[in-house]
Amino acid sequence: MKRNYVILLVFALIVITAAEMIGTQSLSFGAFSVSLLPLAFAILITMILGLPFVRKGFIKKIYSKVNVQFSSKYLIFIMLPLMARYGADVAPQLKEILNVGWVFIAQELGNLGTVLLGLPVALLIGLRREAIGATLGLGREGELAYISEKYTLESKEGQGVLSLYIIGTLFGTIFFSLIAPIMLDIGFRVEALAMASGVGSASMMTASSATLIERVPEMESTILGYAAASQLLTSFLGTFTMVFLAVPLQRFLYNKLTKTKKQPEVPADVRAAE
Amino acid sequence: MSVQLNKYFKYGLVILLSTALILFTQQIKLLKDPASTPVEWMTIMGLLTLWLFSMIGVLLSDLMKKTPIKILQEFPMLGWVAVTSLVLCMCFDFFVEAIGYVDFLAITTPILTFAGISVVDRLVDLRKTSWKVGIVAVFVFTGTYVGSALLSELGLFLANK
């Protein structure tokens, strides 16, 4: 038991060292350049080594049941110092942030973009009830709780939100460390992107804001302050935005879009049949 | 009561491990690039501050679970730690200064290392998800990010910032 944890710790130290030694790597695609930070390499290395066909022999020992369980059970506690750091980033700028406080509140509505952009695409490629679960929000704990309460996780809606949850957990940080610099290259202001970083998942917010800092290092304190403030606001308002805005909007759009395709009441029929 | 204390002792140790890993990462960063954030006495003070705020946040989160107000009960532990830190940093400049000696990126690498280890058993679940949801995920993530960025851009423009 003890030996297990020692192996885990040594492994973590090796991965951190490797990720830091790889350092920040920039890749250019035409007009866009993205940079992968050590944090992205850390999650890539640990995930690749954990792939079922790689996880053999000694690596299997590192990824023992106890160690994987320890990591997922205590991940939230390992993240706490990061959250404490965010408080220190917001504090010196609180006045400035409150000055544009309404902008922070207004941009919370941007989280409805999951429905506005995601739902039409989901319906277009043929998803129906899964689309309800998969586009209500980012598919983090809030949406998971809401969908499982309303439809259960075994339902089609539940499968949709669970799939999104898994995909987000695995690829969310990588995705946000790629999209942030692309948006910067498109011409968005770094302050606006910092605010947008507070999407509701701490690791996705960190990936986005860290990548922005890499690109605009002189704005570090503003980026961290804005991202953290927006993230805090999302934790407070997220549930309300979901229940009072995202759910009705989704229902409205769903009915509108499925009707025009001459597939009336498909979900109701399916539900009745079950 | 002793079970309770035992629980907090465990949390305290895990958070201490986390701060120790941050120190390690900052040192490695320094080896790779001598111009990065140095490791000084104040760095240790900063890490202790982060540990302290985390512990206060954990206790606060447990206390709030006992209040009758639903929104306070459900507010995440991560949020309580940030709020604790925000309030105490507003009161004492020392905390802001000390935390400033801790390199931001050095905090993130250890977290993502453990995040990676924690999700490996879900890699198998990926087979259960349909590729369609994978495509939708890209648009869902882009939707929330671009949506918020557009509104922020507009808001900041209107605020003349």
Side-chain angles (χ1 to χ4, degrees), chain A residues 83-85 87-88, chain B residues 53 80-90 99:
Chain A
M83 296 300 122
R85 156 88 205 214
Chain B
F53 289 177
W80 285 118
V81 172
V83 169
T84 304
S85 166
L86 175 60
V87 171
L88 288 171
C89 282
M90 298 291 293
I99 293 174

Side-chain angles (χ1 to χ4, degrees), chain A residues 5 9 18 27 46 82 88 97 105 116 121-122 136 154 158 169-170 175 183 193 201 211 215 234 258 260-261 272:
Chain A
Y5 289 138
L9 182 62
L27 307 163
T46 44
L82 175 66
I97 287 172
I105 294 175
L116 289 175
V121 173
L136 186 57
E154 284 73 44
T169 307
L170 293 173
F175 181 85
M183 295 281 285
L193 294 177
S201 148
T211 319
R215 288 286 298 272
T234 307
T258 47
T260 53
K261 280 190 183 152

Side-chain angles (χ1 to χ4, degrees), chain B residues 90-135:
Chain B
M90 298 291 293
C91 300
F92 305 100
D93 284 340
F94 170 78
F95 289 140
V96 179
E97 198 199 333
I99 293 174
Y101 280 83
V102 181
D103 185 75
F104 171 71
L105 287 176
I107 305 178
T108 61
T109 315
I111 292 174
L112 272 291
T113 303
F114 279 93
I117 300 171
S118 74
V119 299
V120 290
D121 285 345
R122 290 196 179 270
L123 285 166
V124 196
D125 295 346
L126 206 57
R127 268 192 227 135
K128 282 185 238 156
T129 71
S130 78
W131 58 273
K132 284 183 178 173
V133 180
I135 294 175

Side-chain angles (χ1 to χ4, degrees), chain A residues 144-156:
Chain A
L144 212 56
Y146 177 83
I147 294 285
S148 72
E149 200 179 316
K150 195 155 180 206
Y151 303 96
T152 77
L153 286 181
E154 284 73 44
S155 66
K156 285 258 166 69

Side-chain angles (χ1 to χ4, degrees), chain B residues 11-31:
Chain B
Y11 295 164
L13 269 185
V14 173
I15 299 168
L16 194 66
L17 167 78
S18 174
T19 51
L21 288 173
I22 296 168
L23 186 65
F24 175 81
T25 312
Q26 191 163 331
Q27 185 62 52
I28 297 283
K29 266 194 194 301
L30 212 52
L31 289 178

